[in-house]
Amino acid sequence: MWFVPMLRSAIRAAEQSTSPLANRPFRLMLVASAGAFSGYALLLPVVPLWAVRQGSGEVTAGAATGVFMAATVLAQFAVPAFVRRYGYRAGLLAGILLLGLPSPLLAVGTAPAAILAISLVRGLGFGLLTVCGSALIAELLPAGSLARGSGLYGLGVGLPQLLGLPIGTGIAQSWGFVPVFVLATAIPLAAILPTLALPAARPARRRVSDGGPVGARQVTAAVWRPWLPMLVASTGFGALATFLPLMLSAPVAAVALFAAPGAGMLARWVAGHVGDRLGGPGRMLPGALLACGLGLLGIAVLTAHPVLAVGAVSLFGAAFGVVQNDALVAMFARTSAGTASVAWNVAFDAGQGLGAVAVGAVAAQVGFPVAFGVLAVAAFVLLPVAWRARGGG
């Protein structure tokens, strides 16, 4: 009858306008991800410090983080096959166990090889967590709520990092390392309860936006436009997090390193609310990438002016938050949730590693201002790509 299509449209609109927090499985996933990410954040700065205190030196300290992130990226590529067979709930459970259970072993595994081995296992768990968590945004929510869901997910995993990084270091320096190791195990393991309450969902069978099957060539063709802006912005963030303490005085660097992730987390949340109202994914990418480039340029030339330098870092952090949200939603629109999540997380983690390694190499030859200026130019060069990533382009 004539009113049936109208009724279906009204129901679809109502579903799309519902807050993601009204979705119980999504809420459970947020709680589980926040608990698991707490274990990651507490130990991220503590493990290198532990390695140095055990006499392993700065090489092992840096290698611990490098091994962790390398294992994370390798695991991310294997997650789609894992969840197709076992489901997302099993992926989250495996990630929580691999990330949390080895943490107390650091108290007795004080040799360099032991520290690196524990970091490798924990990195594999983190790779499972990052892909499964962000993929479940698209698996659990309707299309009209994806941007808001991504923004809320950014808050859910951002707050533990914003608080966990300084708290972990503070506990280690005030009460010793063992309490941090215990805490970094207990909080993730508590996340098992909400994870067990999740439905045993497997990836939905989806196709890329051009209607072709999900193959490597088709996926690359579908996601490379939002992927490149995400990569260059993440590279900038990795460089900023690694080298700001060397470019700014200690108090200014501390403020800047808090301002960047804080601004990014809030901007990602706001971008989620705005994105669902714009009628198409990726529409904020060009402006956000432009702001990233301006922030990087500011970091390159304003380090002698503390207030302006913090302002430039905050601008970059906020822009990076918008890039994170809009790039992920744009990838969701182009390929399956699991594949989009892998692509996004690889851009995020590989970019941070590239920022630390490549910018360090360039800075050693020509200085930090030039190195950050090169990153700014890269962001500006990719503006046409970001423009093409709007909507279904």
Side-chain angles (χ1 to χ4, degrees):
M1 297 192 301
W2 64 268
F3 60 85
V4 172
M6 294 180 60
L7 181 60
R8 288 175 177 168
S9 298
I11 292 173
R12 203 156 39 236
E15 289 176 344
Q16 292 182 350
S17 64
T18 301
S19 168
L21 292 177
N23 185 303
R24 182 175 179 272
F26 180 76
R27 293 199 307 271
L28 291 170
M29 184 275 288
L30 277 185
V31 173
S33 297
F37 269 75
S38 296
Y40 156 75
L42 284 166
L43 289 188
L44 185 63
V46 169
V47 172
L49 184 60
W50 173 251
V52 172
R53 294 285 178 88
Q54 300 309 305
S56 298
E58 285 76 10
V59 173
T60 301
T65 301
V67 166
F68 181 94
M69 297 311 300
T72 295
V73 172
L74 288 175
Q76 287 167 348
F77 285 110
V79 173
F82 182 95
V83 297
R84 279 196 299 271
R85 181 167 184 176
Y86 300 107
Y88 286 107
R89 183 174 63 190
L92 285 175
L93 285 171
I96 289 169
L97 293 173
L98 288 172
L99 181 70
L101 286 181
S103 299
L105 297 177
L106 288 164
V108 294
T110 57
I115 294 173
L116 295 181
I118 294 168
S119 297
L120 186 147
V121 174
R122 294 183 67 249
L124 294 175
F126 192 60
L128 281 162
L129 285 169
T130 52
V131 173
C132 289
S134 51
L136 280 171
I137 299 169
E139 297 287 0
L140 298 175
L141 298 175
S145 300
L146 291 184
R148 282 174 293 165
S150 177
L152 287 167
Y153 180 77
L155 279 180
V157 300
L159 279 172
Q161 295 179 73
L162 196 65
L163 299 175
L165 294 174
I167 288 175
T169 304
I171 293 176
Q173 293 176 339
S174 300
W175 291 292
F177 288 86
V178 173
V180 189
F181 299 154
V182 172
L183 199 59
T185 300
I187 297 178
L189 292 185
I192 289 176
L193 292 177
T195 304
L196 289 173
L198 285 170
R202 282 180 168 78
R205 293 186 178 274
R206 296 179 185 170
R207 296 175 180 271
V208 294
S209 58
D210 63 2
V214 179
R217 178 182 295 180
Q218 291 87 348
V219 169
T220 301
V223 305
W224 72 271
R225 291 183 181 91
W227 191 86
L228 282 176
M230 179 64 196
L231 179 69
V232 74
S234 181
T235 300
F237 186 77
L240 180 151
T242 303
F243 298 115
L244 274 188
L246 302 178
M247 300 169 64
L248 303 171
S249 64
V252 177
V255 173
L257 288 173
F258 183 84
M265 181 182 65
L266 292 175
R268 181 175 176 179
W269 176 64
V270 172
H273 283 269
V274 175
D276 280 334
R277 292 170 171 79
L278 290 179
R283 294 185 180 275
M284 291 180 285
L285 268 181
L289 188 61
L290 174 63
C292 278
L294 293 174
L296 290 168
L297 192 61
I299 294 167
V301 301
L302 295 173
T303 52
H305 308 278
V307 175
L308 295 178
V310 172
V313 169
S314 300
L315 172 62
F316 173 82
F320 182 45
V322 178
V323 169
Q324 290 179 63
N325 205 74
D326 226 23
L328 179 59
V329 177
M331 292 181 194
F332 281 151
R334 289 161 167 78
T335 187
S336 67
T339 303
S341 180
V342 171
W344 186 90
N345 278 287
V346 167
F348 189 97
D349 295 324
Q352 291 197 68
L354 183 63
V357 175
V359 171
V362 174
Q365 301 298 320
V366 293
F368 286 114
V370 174
F372 276 88
V374 169
L375 287 178
V377 170
F380 297 145
V381 168
L382 286 177
L383 283 174
V385 176
W387 183 263
R388 290 288 304 279
R390 299 165 77 248

